[in-house]
């Protein structure tokens, strides 16, 4: 008799946190259905949510540890692999903990992430632990923590439906966060005006009431000019400024130079349009700001974020439904990874490493059974700094849990050189990703649907995951792998032993006051809970900063900010400015490119180029061209379009055979958050001297990956000199 059951879970793609049901047949996941009573997606689902389960039972799942010898992998027993990793970690951390680094996985449950940072800190004594928020929303954490005292979304997703005016900048919700995009449509139906600002005429811009195209990386100049208009016209909220903020006068003085003409010259937006935006935003009763990676992935990303906070505080658009500063998280659990202390400056719950009392508390909490923990109060290295340290020979071992920096980090060549320079690279993964192929040891882990735990969405909603099938034989739970490594390093087993993910979460609650009230009974409902949740009788609502900000004195802090612009500017040799994006059908390659339905929709990458820029180069839509920067070059199909600003080109980041990050720049980064400038680098695009065809699927079943010269283009155009 066939057994079919439904198991509730949360989508593993973007940070919206949609509810799904696994369809399980005879113990195997065979499909998903949207969870109809889930408050976020309300029974709707995007293409990734609908078909993204197809990677789970692929034949190329890792099921045995791999050890590299003489440049080739061989299969190994778990005991051999764990001993090898533990011995090397202990050897190097005993010599100098600063020479060991850990990347946590923002696609993994909170419980696994918590154990990753615990392994780094307790077993290795290092604060060198980070995750991919550093290169997506690191500026959000840094910028909003500086201004508001908390680096998270200020409102729940549904709040947007109560807005009168929505200022959406650098965020293509209809592709990157489709179910939040649905809420924008609902807000419009409720009477809100949606204004979208972006260098590209994106699918989100196409549903806007007003679209404003502007130059990449000029956000601070734009918002400073808007602030000046608001102040000059007396449209600011004087009462809010007086009672709830500080730093206003310094900020006011700084923006005085940002006249409409000056800002227009920088941004490419007409002066009257900037003035119009400022007046409309300030005049709305409830105005909300929505942003994403379009303003964070810059060398001044934290400044961009703080500019949005300045606008919101100036007009009192914070602490109320329908208002707020709303960053949309890119990955399903990137918010949770920050919450869990996978940050070199923060323990779980954003308790600060640099605070001696806090570090002493964790040293005491993590010690026992004759084992003493003595962590430094100096923050560790960020993800970017660890990679640079590896490149320089100053980092010896890097443990990567579920991240794929060879695809996602800026300047692929620099990343590969850094990884090759390590004494040991350990990768804990479900598939032999591009990064795993560089590893010395690969540890096969359980994946989505094969373990219990929690994800935290971009609105700080902590939601339960349920196990729907067993992992493939030979793959282990992440936290079990790390328990065994810690024990082999000499940590007493009781300090790392748990019977369940729920036990791990109970420890998280003890360490993080913002989650203390989140018991399993309260979490395991479709509504779940939002942090801060300090007690079990707290309602744990999504709206933050209602009466005071999260700083000790309760005040928001205005920031005086200057326009900086991209570090790498265009010139005669590299006259086009490259930006990068996600697209509707794809995520990181290890997942969606193993989903046949999604892969068939868009088989490879493309470069969007303005019609005039293409004509000047003799480029025809669909032909494969050469794109190159100071760091490397790729062959990639051209998508000629008027939907992108002249002088700017765009490449989706998902496709390793024409990887955008071969071109991007890792040298320039935000001093406040260490964000590299993924959204702006100078490149050139040229015709190729010969016909190149690219078509087909990237990943085949089996233990190897295969890159074919195949492509989404429906026609191949003969090209010549």
């Amino acid at each position: 008799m066939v057994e079919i059951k439904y198991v509730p879970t949360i989508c593993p793609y973007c940070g919206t946190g949609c509810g799904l049901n696994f369809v399980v047949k005879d113990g195997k996941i065979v499909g998903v259905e949207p969870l109809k009573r889930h408050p976020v997606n309300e029974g709707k689902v995007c293409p990734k949510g609908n078909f993204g389960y197809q990677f789970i039972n692929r034949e190329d799942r890792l099921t045995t540890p791999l050890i590299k010898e003489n440049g080739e992998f061989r299969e190994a027993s778990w005991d051999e692999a764990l001993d090898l990793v533990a011995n090397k970690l202990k050897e190097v951390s005993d010599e100098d903990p600063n020479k060991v680094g850990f990347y946590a996985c923002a696609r993994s449950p909170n419980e696994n992430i918590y154990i990753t940072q615990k392994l780094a800190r307790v077993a290795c004594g290092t604060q060198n632990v980070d995750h991919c928020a550093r290169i997506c929303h690191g500026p959000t954490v840094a910028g909003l923590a500086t201004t508001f005292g908390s680096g998270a979304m200020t409102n729940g997703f549904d709040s947007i439906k109560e807005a009168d005016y929505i200022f959406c900048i650098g965020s293509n919700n209809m592709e990157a966060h489709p179910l939040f995009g649905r809420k924008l449509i609902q807000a419009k139906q409720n009477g809100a005006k949606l204004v979208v600002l972006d260098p590209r005429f994106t699918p989100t811009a196409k549903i806007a009431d007003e679209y404003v195209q502007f130059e990449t990386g000029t956000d601070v100049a734009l918002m400073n000019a808007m602030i000046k208009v608001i102040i000059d016209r007396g449209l600011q909220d004087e009462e809010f400024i007086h009672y709830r903020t500080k730093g206003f006068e310094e900020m006011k003085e700084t923006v005085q130079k940002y006249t409409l003409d000056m800002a227009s010259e920088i941004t490419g937006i007409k002066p009257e349009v900037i003035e119009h935006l400022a007046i409309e935003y300030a005049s709305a009763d409830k105005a909300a700001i929505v942003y994403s990676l379009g303003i964070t992935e810059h060398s001044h990303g934290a400044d961009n974020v703080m500019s949005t906070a300045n606008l919101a505080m100036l007009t009192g658009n914070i602490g109320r439904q329908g208002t707020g500063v709303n960053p949309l998280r890119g990955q399903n659990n990137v918010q949770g990874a920050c919450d869990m202390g996978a940050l070199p400056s923060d323990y779980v719950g954003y308790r600060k490493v640099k605070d001696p009392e806090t570090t002493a508390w964790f040293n005491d909490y993590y010690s026992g059974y004759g084992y003493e923990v003595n962590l430094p109060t100096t923050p560790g290295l960020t993800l970017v700094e660890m990679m640079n340290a590896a490149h320089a020979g100053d980092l010896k071992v890097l443990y990567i849990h579920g991240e794929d920096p060879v695809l996602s980090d800026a300047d692929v060549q620099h990343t590969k050189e850094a990884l090759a320079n390590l004494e040991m690279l350990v990768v804990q993964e479900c598939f032999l990703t591009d990064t795993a192929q560089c590893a010395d040891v690969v540890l096969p882990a359980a994946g989505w649907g094969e373990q219990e735990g929690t994800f935290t969405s971009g609105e700080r909603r902590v939601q339960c995951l349920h196990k729907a099938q067993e992992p493939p034989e030979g793959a282990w739970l992440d936290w079990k792998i790390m328990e065994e490594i810690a024990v082999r390093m000499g940590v007493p087993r009781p300090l790392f032993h748990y019977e369940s993910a729920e036990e791990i979460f109970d420890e998280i609650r003890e360490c993080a006051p913002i989650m203390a009230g989140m018991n399993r009974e309260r979490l395991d409902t479709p509504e779940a809970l939002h942090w801060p949740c300090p007690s079990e009788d707290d309602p744990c609502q999504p709206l933050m900063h209602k009466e005071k900000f999260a700083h000790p004195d309760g005040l928001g802090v205005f920031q005086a900010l200057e326009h900086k612009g991209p570090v790498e500017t265009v010139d005669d040799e590299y006259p086009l400015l490259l930006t990068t994006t996600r697209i509707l059908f794809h995520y990181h390659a290890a997942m969606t490119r193993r989903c046949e339905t999604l892969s068939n929709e868009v088989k490879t990458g493309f470069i969007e180029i303005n019609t005039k820029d293409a004509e000047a180069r003799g480029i025809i839509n669909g032909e494969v061209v050469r794109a190159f920067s100071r760091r490397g070059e790729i062959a990639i199909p051209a998508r000629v379009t008027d939907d992108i600003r002249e002088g700017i080109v765009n490449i989706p980041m998902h496709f390793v055979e024409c990887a955008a990050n071969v071109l991007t720049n890792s040298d320039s980064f935000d001093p406040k958050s260490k964000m590299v400038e993924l959204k702006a680098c100078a490149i050139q695009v040229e015709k190729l001297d010969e016909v190149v065809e690219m078509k087909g699927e990237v990943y085949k079943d089996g233990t190897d990956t295969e890159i074919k010269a195949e492509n989404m283009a429906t026609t191949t155009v003969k090209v010549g000199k």
Side-chain angles (χ1 to χ4, degrees):
M1 180 179 176
V2 175
E3 182 189 8
I4 296 179
K5 63 179 179 178
Y6 292 85
V7 179
T9 191
I10 303 301
C11 183
Y13 290 102
C14 80
T16 307
C18 295
L20 305 173
N21 276 317
F22 284 121
V23 181
V24 183
K25 179 180 178 182
D26 290 337
K28 288 290 183 184
I29 296 167
V30 296
V32 297
E33 290 287 337
L35 188 57
K36 289 183 171 50
R37 61 177 290 241
H38 195 276
V40 173
N41 54 313
E42 301 174 313
K44 310 299 181 184
V45 70
C46 79
K48 286 190 284 286
N50 204 13
F51 302 108
Y53 72 91
Q54 293 173 349
F55 74 89
I56 298 171
N57 290 314
R58 289 274 300 205
E59 294 178 12
D60 59 341
R61 280 289 299 272
L62 293 168
T63 57
T64 186
L66 303 174
I67 294 174
K68 188 174 286 179
E69 290 180 350
N70 301 317
E72 300 290 334
F73 283 123
R74 65 168 176 83
E75 294 186 352
S77 69
W78 270 104
D79 279 336
E80 181 186 12
L82 292 170
D83 283 342
L84 183 63
V85 172
N87 289 340
K88 188 64 178 180
L89 283 172
K90 182 165 177 55
E91 172 197 328
V92 176
S93 58
D94 283 351
E95 172 195 331
D96 184 353
N98 294 319
K99 295 187 180 299
V100 177
F102 286 77
Y103 285 12
C105 179
R107 293 174 289 132
S108 195
N110 285 319
E111 294 75 9
N112 293 342
I113 300 166
Y114 173 78
I115 297 300
T116 303
Q117 64 84 36
K118 186 175 178 180
L119 179 65
R121 289 174 163 130
V122 174
C124 297
T126 185
Q127 301 285 14
N128 295 343
V129 57
D130 206 357
H131 70 287
C132 68
R134 187 65 51 193
I135 54 169
C136 60
H137 274 287
T140 290
V141 176
L144 294 188
T146 300
T147 51
F148 297 159
S150 171
M153 189 172 185
T154 63
N155 293 52
F157 292 147
D158 275 345
S159 170
I160 203 73
K161 293 188 287 187
E162 299 183 38
D164 300 314
Y165 186 86
I166 302 169
F167 185 82
C168 180
I169 182 167
S171 185
N172 181 14
N173 311 292
M174 298 307 295
E175 289 199 276
H177 309 90
L179 272 298
F180 183 83
R182 179 173 178 263
K183 295 184 187 297
L184 292 182
I185 294 171
Q186 291 171 328
K188 281 168 54 68
Q189 292 170 342
N190 291 340
K193 180 173 182 178
L194 173 62
V195 178
V196 173
L197 298 94
D198 201 292
R200 300 168 57 231
F201 189 41
T202 64
T204 306
K206 291 172 184 177
I207 70 163
D209 298 293
E210 185 175 341
Y211 166 59
V212 179
Q213 194 174 58
F214 73 113
E215 293 286 350
T216 297
T218 61
D219 312 84
V220 170
L222 167 63
M223 286 183 272
N224 274 357
M226 290 175 63
I227 289 168
K228 175 173 164 45
V229 169
I230 292 167
I231 294 171
D232 288 349
R233 287 180 171 259
L235 298 175
Q236 69 270 28
D237 188 331
E238 293 283 6
E239 183 177 359
F240 190 94
I241 293 166
H242 178 75
Y243 288 106
R244 296 204 52 191
T245 71
K246 60 186 179 183
F248 172 73
E249 291 300 329
E250 184 181 357
M251 186 274 296
K252 177 182 176 181
E253 182 179 349
T254 298
V255 302
Q256 290 310 304
K257 69 171 75 73
Y258 289 86
T259 63
L260 290 173
D261 287 340
M262 174 187 177
S264 178
E265 184 176 348
I266 294 170
T267 65
I269 306 173
K270 293 179 179 179
E272 60 269 24
V273 174
I274 298 174
E275 184 177 42
H276 161 73
L277 289 172
I279 294 170
E280 285 207 327
Y281 176 82
S283 300
D285 179 45
K286 292 179 288 186
I289 297 172
V290 174
Y291 74 81
S292 193
L293 306 189
I295 73 167
T296 62
E297 290 186 334
H298 291 272
S299 60
H300 45 85
D303 288 353
N304 294 346
V305 170
M306 290 189 287
S307 290
T308 68
N310 283 347
L311 260 181
M313 290 189 291
L314 179 71
T315 54
N317 277 300
I318 199 81
R320 296 181 289 129
Q321 288 292 99
T323 70
V325 176
N326 302 283
L328 298 180
R329 298 291 190 161
Q331 295 202 56
N332 60 308
N333 205 31
V334 75
Q335 180 67 59
C338 295
D339 302 345
M340 292 302 104
L343 297 168
S345 57
D346 293 54
Y347 298 109
V348 59
Y350 303 98
R351 300 174 68 184
K352 300 302 178 185
V353 164
K354 66 182 180 182
D355 178 52
E357 290 185 6
T358 297
T359 292
W361 188 95
F362 278 98
N363 285 337
D364 182 62
Y365 185 84
Y366 287 145
S367 297
Y369 303 94
Y371 187 83
E372 184 176 350
V373 177
N374 188 23
L375 289 163
T377 56
T378 304
L381 300 177
T382 65
L383 175 152
V384 175
E385 291 167 327
M386 281 189 263
M387 198 62 75
N388 288 339
H391 197 273
D394 296 328
L395 194 79
K396 292 186 176 181
V397 181
L398 182 59
Y399 191 118
I400 297 179
H401 168 212
E403 298 284 306
D404 194 5
V406 169
L407 180 68
S408 61
D409 283 15
D411 192 350
V412 168
Q413 185 59 34
H414 177 271
T415 300
K416 287 183 174 180
E417 289 171 358
L419 297 179
N421 205 33
L422 292 162
E423 292 183 8
M424 179 179 282
L425 171 62
V426 183
V427 174
Q428 189 168 305
E429 256 292 359
C430 298
F431 297 100
L432 199 63
T433 62
D434 298 292
T435 300
Q437 292 177 51
C438 300
D440 299 291
V441 183
V442 180
L443 304 174
W448 179 57
E450 297 167 352
Q451 51 192 319
E452 301 285 320
T454 54
F455 286 159
T456 307
S457 74
E459 61 174 347
R460 311 180 322 278
R461 190 191 297 263
V462 182
Q463 306 184 87
C464 286
L465 310 170
H466 295 277
K467 181 177 177 179
Q469 69 175 36
E470 293 296 328
E473 186 176 354
W476 287 19
L477 295 174
D478 294 88
W479 52 271
K480 283 289 187 184
I481 295 171
M482 290 182 275
E483 174 188 342
E484 291 302 322
I485 291 172
V487 171
R488 282 167 165 79
M489 291 181 68
V491 179
R493 188 175 294 276
L495 292 179
F496 268 84
H497 181 70
Y498 308 89
E499 293 295 334
S500 66
E502 186 176 351
E503 278 193 13
I504 300 174
F505 196 84
D506 285 341
E507 182 169 309
I508 292 166
R509 292 173 61 197
E510 292 182 11
C511 294
I514 61 172
M515 294 182 172
M518 292 185 167
N519 63 43
R520 181 73 177 195
E521 182 180 358
R522 298 186 73 200
L523 281 180
D524 205 359
T525 66
E527 292 75 21
L529 295 169
H530 301 260
W531 67 258
C533 183
S535 66
E536 293 188 5
D537 59 359
D538 192 288
C540 306
Q541 296 300 307
L543 182 62
M544 295 182 75
H545 315 307
K546 287 188 287 187
E547 297 176 355
K548 61 181 181 178
F549 289 96
H551 288 298
D553 62 4
L555 299 178
V557 186
F558 282 105
Q559 300 295 311
L561 306 166
E562 298 282 5
H563 165 71
K564 298 183 177 72
V567 170
E568 189 172 80
T569 56
V570 297
D571 55 24
D572 291 342
E573 187 177 4
Y574 299 100
L576 299 172
L577 198 66
L578 170 68
T579 187
T580 64
T581 53
R582 287 192 174 106
I583 59 176
L584 178 62
F585 296 102
H586 281 292
Y587 193 65
H588 291 308
M591 295 165 70
T592 55
R593 298 196 80 183
R594 285 181 168 85
C595 300
E596 183 178 5
T597 305
L598 297 173
S599 187
N600 284 339
E601 289 290 337
V602 181
K603 291 182 178 294
T604 197
F606 52 87
I607 182 166
E608 287 182 323
I609 183 169
N610 180 270
T611 303
K612 291 182 180 178
D613 290 325
E615 287 176 352
R617 292 161 174 77
I619 292 169
I620 303 172
N621 186 51
E623 72 172 296
V624 178
V625 298
R626 174 178 175 244
F628 58 98
S629 72
R630 292 176 174 86
R631 289 153 294 280
E633 66 177 69
I634 57 174
I636 187 168
R639 180 176 287 184
V640 179
T641 176
D642 289 328
D643 286 351
I644 192 165
R645 189 178 182 87
E646 191 175 352
I648 296 176
V649 292
N650 172 64
I651 300 176
M653 55 79 62
H654 317 281
F655 304 95
V656 68
E657 69 275 22
C658 48
N661 284 325
V662 168
L663 309 177
T664 52
N665 182 12
S666 65
D667 292 336
S668 58
F669 54 85
D670 181 3
K672 296 181 176 73
S673 68
K674 304 300 190 292
M675 162 65 76
V676 291
E677 194 150 58
L678 288 165
K679 284 290 186 282
C681 76
I683 75 165
Q684 177 62 292
V685 178
E686 294 180 345
K687 289 177 73 72
L688 288 170
D689 292 338
E690 58 185 13
V691 174
V692 176
E693 293 189 41
M694 301 178 70
K695 47 186 173 177
E697 183 173 323
V698 172
Y699 294 111
K700 68 177 184 180
D701 285 338
T703 56
D704 299 321
T705 58
E706 178 178 56
I707 305 296
K708 297 178 181 178
E710 294 190 324
N711 177 8
M712 51 148 313
T714 56
T715 59
T716 301
V717 181
K718 185 174 178 61
V719 297
K721 292 184 178 179

